[in-house]
Amino acid sequence: MMASLIEYGIRSPSVLHAMAGVPREDFVLEADRAHAYADRALPIDAPGQTISQPLMVALVVEALELHEGDRALDVGTGSGYQAAVMSACGAHVVSIERLESLARSAAERLHRLNYDVEVVEGDGTLGVPERAPFDAIAVGAAAPRLPIELARQLVEGGRLVVPITDGPNGEQLTRLRLVNGRWETESLGPCRFVPLIGADGYRDAATS
Ligand code: SAH
């Protein structure tokens, strides 16, 4: 896994160190443990949800430009893997998940593995105002448009990395940075994520 991350251009020493240290086999389903370090997304314990492929996690976390002690928000906890990688980069991480069962199992797992991550259950499209502002925010699901409440929860110099839907076939990984009070956005390349569901996201197909 580490060789493929380096081959695909991950350069940040702290991200490579974090990716090498977080035990991905503890975040995947028992039946998938043998493939835990293959560079692909794997199912997690909720219908249609996945733990992102390692390269995508590394790209997102590298794009966050985390520094020791940064306050970071992870939207879409899922298994908790990306939150663990962010924490291993030295950030204080708050992670928000809309599905109660996933939030509970990820919180237990992160605690058992000694990651200092606070897991919150709720709609992450609105951020976590009571913990804001953040130096860095990562969104682990595809947004229909820029989630404005998240952008508002950044400090000056803060980074928001979010996949934004770009036509029917996928998303553009987008980085927004708050520079001198203005939002600057840049496109980091195409990507594929499950939908972000919530007040400033997609509607839940199960309830609409
Ligand atoms: N980063 C995760 C994988 C994320 S999969 C990992 O490392 O395992 C996307 C997750 O986002 C799913 O768990 C899904 O339930 C969650 N999600 C979707 N919309 C959300 C929202 N509005 N707020 C919080 N979580 C959301």
Side-chain angles (χ1 to χ4, degrees):
M1 181 183 91
M2 296 309 298
S4 78
L5 296 184
I6 292 166
E7 187 188 329
Y8 280 103
I10 303 299
R11 291 284 173 267
S12 156
S14 75
V15 173
L16 289 170
H17 183 262
M19 293 294 297
V22 177
R24 197 166 185 262
E25 74 269 16
D26 284 307
F27 293 83
V28 302
L29 301 179
E30 193 81 39
D32 288 319
R33 287 203 161 183
H35 322 291
Y37 295 95
D39 194 24
R40 60 181 222 223
L42 289 169
I44 56 176
D45 209 5
Q49 303 304 329
T50 56
I51 174 173
S52 302
Q53 88 182 88
L55 176 62
M56 196 44 72
V57 174
L59 283 169
V60 168
V61 178
E62 186 167 66
L64 292 174
E65 297 178 358
L66 294 173
H67 301 102
E68 193 72 37
D70 270 1
R71 295 169 47 77
L73 175 64
D74 171 51
V75 175
T77 314
S79 67
Y81 178 71
Q82 184 169 295
V85 173
M86 289 163 66
S87 167
C89 288
H92 298 294
V93 183
V94 176
S95 184
I96 181 163
E97 169 58 52
R98 66 183 279 270
L99 298 176
E100 196 251 332
S101 63
L102 284 179
R104 191 165 5 96
S105 58
E108 277 167 19
R109 178 179 296 119
L110 289 161
H111 180 73
R112 174 164 48 82
L113 296 171
N114 275 319
Y115 290 103
D116 176 23
V117 175
E118 180 187 1
V119 179
V120 179
E121 185 203 328
D123 176 7
T125 63
L126 304 177
V128 184
E130 60 277 24
R131 293 282 183 278
F134 299 99
D135 298 288
I137 302 177
V139 183
R145 59 193 162 268
L146 182 78
I148 212 79
E149 286 307 319
L150 294 180
R152 290 198 177 115
Q153 290 175 25
L154 290 174
V155 299
E156 171 62 29
R159 291 82 56 200
L160 163 63
V161 177
V162 52
I164 300 182
T165 300
D166 176 32
N169 296 320
E171 296 96 43
Q172 278 291 329
L173 191 64
T174 306
R175 175 167 55 194
L176 175 149
R177 200 189 286 272
L178 183 60
V179 183
N180 298 325
R182 301 172 76 136
W183 290 329
E184 291 181 356
T185 58
E186 66 193 293
S187 201
L188 304 178
C191 56
R192 214 63 235 246
F193 281 83
V194 301
L196 180 73
I197 294 168
D200 195 16
Y202 290 99
R203 289 220 209 155
D204 186 353
T207 57
S208 61

